[in-house]
Amino acid sequence: MLAPLSHRIHGKRHLQLYRSSPKNNGPKSWRIREAIPVPKPGPDEVLVNIKYSGVCHTDLHAVKGDWPLPSKMPLVGGHEGAGIVVARGSLVKDVEIGDYAGIKWLNGSCLTCVQCRQSNESLCGDATLSGYTVDGSFQQYAIGKAAHVARIPKDCDLEAIAPILCAGLTVYKALKESGARPGQHVAIVGAGGGLGSFAIQYAKAMGLHPIAIDGGEDKRRVCTELGAQSYIDFTTSEDIVGDVKGASGDGLGPNAVLLLAVSEKPFQQASQYIRSKGTIVCVGLPANAFIKAPVFDTVVREVNIKGSYVGNRQDTAEAIDFFRRGLIKAPYKVVGLSELQSVYDLMLEGKIAGRYVVDTSR
Ligand code: NAD
Ligand code: ZN
Protein backbone atom coordinates (compact mmCIF):
# COMPACT_ATOMS: atom_id res chain seq x y z
CA MET A 1 0.00 0.00 0.00
CA LEU A 2 1.33 3.42 -0.94
CA ALA A 3 1.15 6.36 1.42
CA PRO A 4 -0.04 9.57 -0.24
CA LEU A 5 2.92 11.40 -1.72
CA SER A 6 1.33 14.44 -3.32
CA HIS A 7 2.25 16.83 -0.51
CA ARG A 8 5.87 15.74 -0.68
CA ILE A 9 6.46 15.97 -4.38
CA HIS A 10 7.96 19.46 -4.59
CA GLY A 11 11.51 20.53 -3.97
CA LYS A 12 13.18 17.14 -4.16
CA ARG A 13 16.91 17.37 -4.58
CA HIS A 14 18.88 14.78 -6.41
CA LEU A 15 22.57 14.79 -7.04
CA GLN A 16 23.14 13.29 -10.42
CA LEU A 17 26.35 12.24 -12.06
CA TYR A 18 26.62 12.72 -15.76
CA ARG A 19 29.17 10.84 -17.78
CA SER A 20 31.54 13.23 -19.46
CA SER A 21 33.51 10.50 -21.21
CA PRO A 22 31.99 8.04 -23.70
CA LYS A 23 33.29 5.04 -21.74
CA ASN A 24 31.90 3.63 -18.52
CA ASN A 25 35.10 4.38 -16.72
CA GLY A 26 36.73 7.78 -16.50
CA PRO A 27 35.88 10.95 -14.61
CA LYS A 28 32.34 12.22 -14.39
CA SER A 29 30.81 15.50 -13.37
CA TRP A 30 27.84 15.99 -11.09
CA ARG A 31 25.14 18.55 -10.56
CA ILE A 32 22.13 19.22 -8.37
CA ARG A 33 18.62 18.83 -9.69
CA GLU A 34 15.61 20.19 -7.87
CA ALA A 35 11.94 19.16 -7.92
CA ILE A 36 12.31 15.89 -9.76
CA PRO A 37 9.55 13.27 -9.42
CA VAL A 38 9.56 11.09 -6.31
CA PRO A 39 9.99 7.42 -7.31
CA LYS A 40 7.25 4.91 -6.43
CA PRO A 41 8.30 1.75 -4.62
CA GLY A 42 7.72 -1.58 -6.37
CA PRO A 43 5.78 -4.35 -4.57
CA ASP A 44 8.82 -5.51 -2.53
CA GLU A 45 10.34 -2.05 -2.00
CA VAL A 46 10.10 0.88 0.40
CA LEU A 47 10.54 4.59 -0.19
CA VAL A 48 12.74 6.29 2.41
CA ASN A 49 12.74 10.02 3.07
CA ILE A 50 16.49 10.39 3.48
CA LYS A 51 17.48 12.90 6.15
CA TYR A 52 21.24 12.34 6.29
CA SER A 53 23.75 10.47 4.19
CA GLY A 54 27.40 9.78 4.98
CA VAL A 55 30.00 10.37 2.28
CA CYS A 56 32.13 7.28 1.67
CA HIS A 57 35.31 7.13 -0.40
CA THR A 58 33.37 4.67 -2.59
CA ASP A 59 31.21 7.61 -3.71
CA LEU A 60 34.39 9.32 -4.87
CA HIS A 61 35.45 6.15 -6.74
CA ALA A 62 32.05 6.34 -8.49
CA VAL A 63 32.68 9.97 -9.50
CA LYS A 64 36.18 9.17 -10.72
CA GLY A 65 35.05 5.98 -12.46
CA ASP A 66 38.29 4.27 -11.42
CA TRP A 67 36.95 0.78 -10.65
CA PRO A 68 36.57 -2.05 -13.18
CA LEU A 69 32.82 -2.09 -12.51
CA PRO A 70 30.40 -0.13 -14.68
CA SER A 71 27.92 2.14 -12.93
CA LYS A 72 24.49 3.42 -13.89
CA MET A 73 24.51 6.79 -15.65
CA PRO A 74 23.19 9.31 -14.87
CA LEU A 75 23.41 8.34 -11.24
CA VAL A 76 22.35 9.61 -7.84
CA GLY A 77 25.23 8.66 -5.53
CA GLY A 78 25.26 7.83 -1.81
CA HIS A 79 24.87 4.65 0.23
CA GLU A 80 24.89 5.67 3.89
CA GLY A 81 21.37 7.11 3.88
CA ALA A 82 19.38 7.31 7.11
CA GLY A 83 15.74 8.38 7.05
CA ILE A 84 12.06 7.60 7.54
CA VAL A 85 9.91 5.15 5.57
CA VAL A 86 7.16 7.09 3.77
CA ALA A 87 5.74 4.46 1.40
CA ARG A 88 5.88 0.73 0.91
CA GLY A 89 4.91 -1.79 -1.76
CA SER A 90 2.00 -4.22 -1.46
CA LEU A 91 4.17 -7.21 -0.47
CA VAL A 92 6.00 -5.43 2.35
CA LYS A 93 4.70 -6.56 5.73
CA ASP A 94 7.50 -5.99 8.22
CA VAL A 95 8.42 -2.36 7.62
CA GLU A 96 5.92 0.28 8.70
CA ILE A 97 5.36 3.80 7.43
CA GLY A 98 7.19 6.04 9.91
CA ASP A 99 9.87 3.47 10.74
CA TYR A 100 13.51 4.60 10.67
CA ALA A 101 15.43 2.85 7.89
CA GLY A 102 18.79 2.93 6.18
CA ILE A 103 19.75 2.72 2.51
CA LYS A 104 23.07 0.88 2.46
CA TRP A 105 25.47 -0.18 -0.34
CA LEU A 106 23.64 -3.48 -0.88
CA ASN A 107 20.29 -2.14 -2.06
CA GLY A 108 18.93 -5.56 -2.96
CA SER A 109 19.83 -9.16 -3.77
CA CYS A 110 17.81 -12.09 -5.13
CA LEU A 111 17.64 -13.91 -1.75
CA THR A 112 17.29 -17.25 -3.56
CA CYS A 113 20.71 -18.00 -5.14
CA VAL A 114 23.24 -20.22 -3.40
CA GLN A 115 25.19 -17.21 -2.03
CA CYS A 116 22.08 -15.49 -0.68
CA ARG A 117 20.90 -18.78 0.86
CA GLN A 118 24.24 -19.03 2.66
CA SER A 119 23.88 -15.41 3.87
CA ASN A 120 26.61 -14.08 1.55
CA GLU A 121 24.18 -11.55 0.09
CA SER A 122 26.90 -9.20 -1.13
CA LEU A 123 28.14 -12.01 -3.42
CA CYS A 124 24.75 -12.42 -5.14
CA GLY A 125 25.12 -12.18 -8.93
CA ASP A 126 21.98 -10.03 -9.07
CA ALA A 127 22.90 -7.68 -6.21
CA THR A 128 22.05 -4.02 -6.79
CA LEU A 129 24.33 -1.36 -5.31
CA SER A 130 23.01 1.96 -3.96
CA GLY A 131 24.68 4.98 -5.50
CA TYR A 132 26.35 2.79 -8.11
CA THR A 133 24.05 0.44 -10.08
CA VAL A 134 20.84 2.01 -8.71
CA ASP A 135 20.20 5.56 -7.47
CA GLY A 136 21.39 6.06 -3.91
CA SER A 137 20.90 8.33 -0.92
CA PHE A 138 22.21 11.76 -2.04
CA GLN A 139 18.58 12.76 -2.47
CA GLN A 140 15.54 13.25 -0.28
CA TYR A 141 13.62 10.18 -1.46
CA ALA A 142 15.37 6.89 -2.18
CA ILE A 143 14.12 3.38 -2.94
CA GLY A 144 15.39 0.22 -1.27
CA LYS A 145 14.35 -3.43 -1.29
CA ALA A 146 12.39 -3.90 1.93
CA ALA A 147 14.31 -7.07 2.83
CA HIS A 148 17.59 -5.16 2.69
CA VAL A 149 16.94 -1.72 4.17
CA ALA A 150 18.63 -1.39 7.54
CA ARG A 151 16.22 -1.45 10.47
CA ILE A 152 17.12 1.55 12.62
CA PRO A 153 15.69 1.68 16.15
CA LYS A 154 13.69 4.81 16.95
CA ASP A 155 16.02 5.82 19.79
CA CYS A 156 18.93 6.27 17.34
CA ASP A 157 20.01 9.65 16.02
CA LEU A 158 19.66 9.58 12.20
CA GLU A 159 22.58 11.97 11.67
CA ALA A 160 25.02 9.98 13.80
CA ILE A 161 23.95 6.55 12.58
CA ALA A 162 24.28 7.32 8.85
CA PRO A 163 28.00 6.31 8.62
CA ILE A 164 27.26 3.01 10.37
CA LEU A 165 25.34 1.95 7.23
CA CYS A 166 28.59 1.46 5.30
CA ALA A 167 31.69 2.45 7.27
CA GLY A 168 30.54 0.90 10.57
CA LEU A 169 29.01 -2.20 9.07
CA THR A 170 31.99 -2.87 6.79
CA VAL A 171 34.66 -2.64 9.48
CA TYR A 172 32.59 -4.58 12.00
CA LYS A 173 32.24 -7.43 9.50
CA ALA A 174 35.95 -7.18 8.58
CA LEU A 175 36.94 -7.43 12.26
CA LYS A 176 34.80 -10.56 12.59
CA GLU A 177 36.41 -11.95 9.42
CA SER A 178 39.86 -11.32 10.94
CA GLY A 179 39.16 -13.88 13.65
CA ALA A 180 41.00 -11.68 16.19
CA ARG A 181 39.93 -12.44 19.74
CA PRO A 182 39.58 -10.13 22.76
CA GLY A 183 42.99 -9.10 24.09
CA GLN A 184 44.70 -9.44 20.69
CA HIS A 185 46.19 -6.68 18.54
CA VAL A 186 44.75 -5.40 15.28
CA ALA A 187 46.55 -2.96 12.98
CA ILE A 188 44.16 -0.54 11.29
CA VAL A 189 45.68 0.96 8.15
CA GLY A 190 43.89 4.19 7.22
CA ALA A 191 42.74 4.52 10.83
CA GLY A 192 42.03 8.24 10.73
CA GLY A 193 39.67 8.04 7.74
CA GLY A 194 35.97 7.19 7.60
CA LEU A 195 36.19 3.41 7.86
CA GLY A 196 39.27 3.62 10.06
CA SER A 197 37.82 5.81 12.79
CA PHE A 198 34.86 3.43 13.12
CA ALA A 199 37.23 0.46 13.06
CA ILE A 200 39.06 1.81 16.12
CA GLN A 201 35.77 2.08 17.99
CA TYR A 202 34.47 -1.36 16.97
CA ALA A 203 37.85 -2.95 17.71
CA LYS A 204 37.82 -1.45 21.20
CA ALA A 205 34.22 -2.50 21.79
CA MET A 206 35.20 -6.05 20.73
CA GLY A 207 38.02 -6.11 23.29
CA LEU A 208 40.89 -5.73 20.79
CA HIS A 209 43.94 -3.46 21.01
CA PRO A 210 43.90 -1.14 17.96
CA ILE A 211 47.21 -0.03 16.42
CA ALA A 212 46.40 2.99 14.23
CA ILE A 213 48.33 3.76 11.02
CA ASP A 214 47.65 6.95 9.07
CA GLY A 215 49.36 10.24 8.20
CA GLY A 216 49.61 13.60 9.97
CA GLU A 217 48.94 15.15 13.36
CA ASP A 218 45.21 15.65 12.81
CA LYS A 219 44.74 11.94 12.29
CA ARG A 220 47.02 11.19 15.25
CA ARG A 221 44.82 13.30 17.52
CA VAL A 222 41.60 11.68 16.30
CA CYS A 223 42.98 8.12 16.50
CA THR A 224 44.33 8.70 20.00
CA GLU A 225 41.08 10.27 21.21
CA LEU A 226 39.16 7.32 19.79
CA GLY A 227 41.25 4.95 21.86
CA ALA A 228 44.02 3.68 19.59
CA GLN A 229 46.73 2.18 21.77
CA SER A 230 49.42 3.56 19.45
CA TYR A 231 49.67 5.68 16.29
CA ILE A 232 52.16 5.18 13.48
CA ASP A 233 52.53 8.03 10.99
CA PHE A 234 53.17 6.53 7.54
CA THR A 235 54.38 9.92 6.27
CA THR A 236 57.21 10.19 8.81
CA SER A 237 57.99 6.65 9.99
CA GLU A 238 61.35 5.40 8.76
CA ASP A 239 60.48 1.78 9.51
CA ILE A 240 56.75 1.08 9.35
CA VAL A 241 57.24 -2.68 9.64
CA GLY A 242 59.40 -2.33 12.76
CA ASP A 243 57.09 0.28 14.27
CA VAL A 244 53.95 -1.85 13.79
CA LYS A 245 55.65 -4.93 15.24
CA GLY A 246 56.94 -2.87 18.13
CA ALA A 247 53.41 -1.66 18.91
CA SER A 248 52.07 -5.19 19.24
CA GLY A 249 53.17 -5.83 22.80
CA ASP A 250 55.54 -8.78 22.43
CA GLY A 251 57.03 -7.48 19.16
CA LEU A 252 55.73 -10.41 17.08
CA GLY A 253 53.29 -8.29 15.10
CA PRO A 254 49.53 -7.80 15.20
CA ASN A 255 47.20 -10.81 15.07
CA ALA A 256 45.17 -9.08 12.37
CA VAL A 257 45.49 -6.22 9.89
CA LEU A 258 42.60 -4.28 8.40
CA LEU A 259 43.72 -2.63 5.15
CA LEU A 260 41.39 0.34 4.69
CA ALA A 261 43.67 2.81 2.90
CA VAL A 262 43.10 3.98 -0.66
CA SER A 263 46.75 3.38 -1.52
CA GLU A 264 48.57 0.31 -2.82
CA LYS A 265 51.72 0.49 -0.70
CA PRO A 266 50.26 -0.79 2.58
CA PHE A 267 48.83 -3.76 0.68
CA GLN A 268 52.46 -4.70 -0.09
CA GLN A 269 53.71 -4.08 3.44
CA ALA A 270 51.19 -5.92 5.62
CA SER A 271 52.63 -9.39 5.04
CA GLN A 272 55.92 -8.16 6.52
CA TYR A 273 54.49 -7.23 9.91
CA ILE A 274 51.53 -9.63 10.37
CA ARG A 275 52.10 -12.15 13.17
CA SER A 276 52.53 -15.80 12.12
CA LYS A 277 49.08 -17.41 11.82
CA GLY A 278 47.61 -13.88 11.64
CA THR A 279 45.02 -12.60 9.17
CA ILE A 280 45.27 -9.72 6.69
CA VAL A 281 41.84 -8.42 5.70
CA CYS A 282 41.66 -6.33 2.50
CA VAL A 283 38.83 -3.80 2.55
CA GLY A 284 40.07 -0.61 0.85
CA LEU A 285 39.76 -0.55 -2.92
CA PRO A 286 42.58 1.58 -4.43
CA ALA A 287 42.27 1.62 -8.22
CA ASN A 288 44.48 -0.77 -10.24
CA ALA A 289 46.19 -2.05 -7.09
CA PHE A 290 47.63 -5.47 -6.33
CA ILE A 291 48.31 -7.21 -3.06
CA LYS A 292 51.73 -8.85 -2.81
CA ALA A 293 53.15 -11.35 -0.34
CA PRO A 294 56.10 -13.76 -0.47
CA VAL A 295 54.83 -17.31 -1.04
CA PHE A 296 57.49 -18.94 1.18
CA ASP A 297 56.71 -16.73 4.13
CA THR A 298 52.96 -16.99 3.67
CA VAL A 299 53.21 -20.80 3.75
CA VAL A 300 55.69 -21.38 6.56
CA ARG A 301 54.24 -18.63 8.77
CA GLU A 302 50.65 -19.71 7.95
CA VAL A 303 49.50 -16.20 7.07
CA ASN A 304 45.87 -15.71 5.98
CA ILE A 305 45.04 -13.09 3.36
CA LYS A 306 41.39 -12.43 2.56
CA GLY A 307 38.94 -9.86 1.24
CA SER A 308 35.90 -8.53 3.06
CA TYR A 309 33.04 -6.78 1.30
CA VAL A 310 30.40 -4.85 3.31
CA GLY A 311 28.22 -7.23 5.34
CA ASN A 312 24.90 -9.08 5.29
CA ARG A 313 21.61 -8.21 6.99
CA GLN A 314 22.63 -9.86 10.25
CA ASP A 315 25.98 -8.01 10.28
CA THR A 316 24.00 -4.80 9.72
CA ALA A 317 21.71 -5.49 12.67
CA GLU A 318 24.70 -6.31 14.91
CA ALA A 319 26.69 -3.22 13.83
CA ILE A 320 23.65 -1.02 14.54
CA ASP A 321 23.19 -2.66 17.93
CA PHE A 322 26.79 -1.80 18.96
CA PHE A 323 25.98 1.81 17.99
CA ARG A 324 22.64 1.82 19.81
CA ARG A 325 24.33 0.66 23.01
CA GLY A 326 26.55 3.75 22.88
CA LEU A 327 29.77 1.84 22.15
CA ILE A 328 30.54 3.53 18.81
CA LYS A 329 31.26 7.26 18.74
CA ALA A 330 33.40 8.33 15.80
CA PRO A 331 33.75 11.98 14.74
CA TYR A 332 31.59 13.30 11.93
CA LYS A 333 30.77 16.71 10.48
CA VAL A 334 27.42 17.66 8.94
CA VAL A 335 27.27 19.85 5.82
CA GLY A 336 24.57 20.59 3.26
CA LEU A 337 24.15 18.28 0.27
CA SER A 338 25.07 21.24 -1.94
CA GLU A 339 28.56 21.22 -0.35
CA LEU A 340 29.37 17.69 -1.52
CA GLN A 341 32.11 18.84 -3.89
CA SER A 342 34.10 20.39 -1.04
CA VAL A 343 33.86 17.06 0.82
CA TYR A 344 35.22 15.23 -2.23
CA ASP A 345 38.04 17.78 -2.51
CA LEU A 346 39.12 17.17 1.10
CA MET A 347 38.80 13.42 0.64
CA LEU A 348 41.03 13.50 -2.44
CA GLU A 349 43.72 15.21 -0.39
CA GLY A 350 43.34 12.68 2.45
CA LYS A 351 42.35 15.51 4.80
CA ILE A 352 39.18 14.08 6.32
CA ALA A 353 39.55 12.77 9.86
CA GLY A 354 36.39 10.73 10.49
CA ARG A 355 33.33 11.09 8.28
CA TYR A 356 31.34 13.84 6.57
CA VAL A 357 27.56 13.51 6.60
CA VAL A 358 25.33 15.51 4.26
CA ASP A 359 21.98 16.93 5.32
CA THR A 360 19.72 16.37 2.29
CA SER A 361 17.48 19.34 3.15
CA ARG A 362 20.13 21.98 2.43
P1 NAD B 1 38.89 7.78 3.60
O1 NAD B 1 39.42 8.61 2.50
O2 NAD B 1 37.95 8.38 4.59
O3 NAD B 1 40.08 7.12 4.42
C1 NAD B 1 41.24 6.59 3.84
C2 NAD B 1 42.37 6.85 4.82
O4 NAD B 1 43.55 6.17 4.39
C3 NAD B 1 42.76 8.33 4.95
O5 NAD B 1 42.69 8.73 6.32
C4 NAD B 1 44.19 8.39 4.42
O6 NAD B 1 44.98 9.35 5.07
C5 NAD B 1 44.68 6.97 4.75
N1 NAD B 1 45.86 6.53 4.00
C6 NAD B 1 46.22 6.83 2.73
N2 NAD B 1 47.41 6.23 2.44
C7 NAD B 1 47.78 5.54 3.54
C8 NAD B 1 48.91 4.74 3.86
N3 NAD B 1 49.88 4.51 2.98
N4 NAD B 1 48.97 4.19 5.11
C9 NAD B 1 48.00 4.42 6.01
N5 NAD B 1 46.90 5.19 5.76
C10 NAD B 1 46.80 5.74 4.53
O7 NAD B 1 38.16 6.53 2.87
P2 NAD B 1 37.03 5.53 3.45
O8 NAD B 1 35.69 6.10 3.19
O9 NAD B 1 37.42 5.11 4.81
O10 NAD B 1 37.19 4.30 2.41
C11 NAD B 1 38.40 3.58 2.33
C12 NAD B 1 38.39 2.58 1.19
O11 NAD B 1 37.50 1.50 1.53
C13 NAD B 1 37.90 3.10 -0.15
O12 NAD B 1 38.68 2.53 -1.19
C14 NAD B 1 36.48 2.57 -0.23
O13 NAD B 1 35.99 2.46 -1.56
C15 NAD B 1 36.66 1.24 0.42
N6 NAD B 1 35.44 0.61 0.94
C16 NAD B 1 35.38 -0.74 0.88
C17 NAD B 1 34.28 -1.39 1.39
C18 NAD B 1 34.20 -2.86 1.34
O14 NAD B 1 33.11 -3.41 1.54
N7 NAD B 1 35.29 -3.58 1.12
C19 NAD B 1 33.23 -0.66 1.97
C20 NAD B 1 33.36 0.73 2.05
C21 NAD B 1 34.47 1.37 1.54
ZN1 ZN C 1 30.80 2.99 1.55
PDB file of all heavy atoms in Angstrom, residues 56 58 79-80 166 355, ligand 2:
ATOM      1  N   CYS A  56      31.121   8.343   1.626  1.00  0.00           N
ATOM      2  CA  CYS A  56      32.126   7.283   1.671  1.00  0.00           C
ATOM      3  C   CYS A  56      33.112   7.490   0.514  1.00  0.00           C
ATOM      4  O   CYS A  56      32.756   8.041  -0.521  1.00  0.00           O
ATOM      5  CB  CYS A  56      31.404   5.947   1.523  1.00  0.00           C
ATOM      6  SG  CYS A  56      32.465   4.499   1.507  1.00  0.00           S
ATOM      7  N   THR A  58      33.956   5.381  -1.444  1.00  0.00           N
ATOM      8  CA  THR A  58      33.373   4.667  -2.587  1.00  0.00           C
ATOM      9  C   THR A  58      32.608   5.628  -3.497  1.00  0.00           C
ATOM     10  O   THR A  58      32.609   5.475  -4.721  1.00  0.00           O
ATOM     11  CB  THR A  58      32.451   3.540  -2.070  1.00  0.00           C
ATOM     12  OG1 THR A  58      33.266   2.564  -1.426  1.00  0.00           O
ATOM     13  CG2 THR A  58      31.663   2.886  -3.186  1.00  0.00           C
ATOM     14  N   HIS A  79      25.314   5.956  -0.268  1.00  0.00           N
ATOM     15  CA  HIS A  79      24.874   4.647   0.233  1.00  0.00           C
ATOM     16  C   HIS A  79      24.998   4.541   1.750  1.00  0.00           C
ATOM     17  O   HIS A  79      25.175   3.455   2.278  1.00  0.00           O
ATOM     18  CB  HIS A  79      25.657   3.531  -0.470  1.00  0.00           C
ATOM     19  CG  HIS A  79      27.137   3.638  -0.262  1.00  0.00           C
ATOM     20  ND1 HIS A  79      27.941   4.418  -1.056  1.00  0.00           N
ATOM     21  CD2 HIS A  79      27.946   3.084   0.662  1.00  0.00           C
ATOM     22  CE1 HIS A  79      29.186   4.325  -0.632  1.00  0.00           C
ATOM     23  NE2 HIS A  79      29.217   3.529   0.426  1.00  0.00           N
ATOM     24  N   GLU A  80      24.957   5.685   2.423  1.00  0.00           N
ATOM     25  CA  GLU A  80      24.893   5.672   3.894  1.00  0.00           C
ATOM     26  C   GLU A  80      23.712   6.558   4.279  1.00  0.00           C
ATOM     27  O   GLU A  80      23.852   7.530   5.004  1.00  0.00           O
ATOM     28  CB  GLU A  80      26.186   6.232   4.507  1.00  0.00           C
ATOM     29  CG  GLU A  80      27.386   5.305   4.402  1.00  0.00           C
ATOM     30  CD  GLU A  80      28.633   5.845   5.108  1.00  0.00           C
ATOM     31  OE1 GLU A  80      28.651   7.025   5.524  1.00  0.00           O
ATOM     32  OE2 GLU A  80      29.606   5.073   5.240  1.00  0.00           O
ATOM     33  N   CYS A 166      27.519   2.070   6.116  1.00  0.00           N
ATOM     34  CA  CYS A 166      28.586   1.458   5.297  1.00  0.00           C
ATOM     35  C   CYS A 166      29.863   1.346   6.122  1.00  0.00           C
ATOM     36  O   CYS A 166      30.329   0.249   6.381  1.00  0.00           O
ATOM     37  CB  CYS A 166      28.848   2.224   4.006  1.00  0.00           C
ATOM     38  SG  CYS A 166      30.213   1.481   3.074  1.00  0.00           S
ATOM     39  N   ARG A 355      34.278  11.140   9.397  1.00  0.00           N
ATOM     40  CA  ARG A 355      33.334  11.093   8.281  1.00  0.00           C
ATOM     41  C   ARG A 355      32.633  12.424   8.081  1.00  0.00           C
ATOM     42  O   ARG A 355      32.393  13.151   9.059  1.00  0.00           O
ATOM     43  CB  ARG A 355      32.275  10.060   8.638  1.00  0.00           C
ATOM     44  CG  ARG A 355      31.538   9.316   7.569  1.00  0.00           C
ATOM     45  CD  ARG A 355      32.273   8.817   6.427  1.00  0.00           C
ATOM     46  NE  ARG A 355      31.877   7.530   5.903  1.00  0.00           N
ATOM     47  CZ  ARG A 355      32.652   6.846   5.092  1.00  0.00           C
ATOM     48  NH1 ARG A 355      33.839   7.296   4.745  1.00  0.00           N
ATOM     49  NH2 ARG A 355      32.250   5.702   4.616  1.00  0.00           N
TER      50      ARG A 355
HETATM   51 ZN    ZN B   2      30.801   2.987   1.547  1.00  0.00          ZN
END
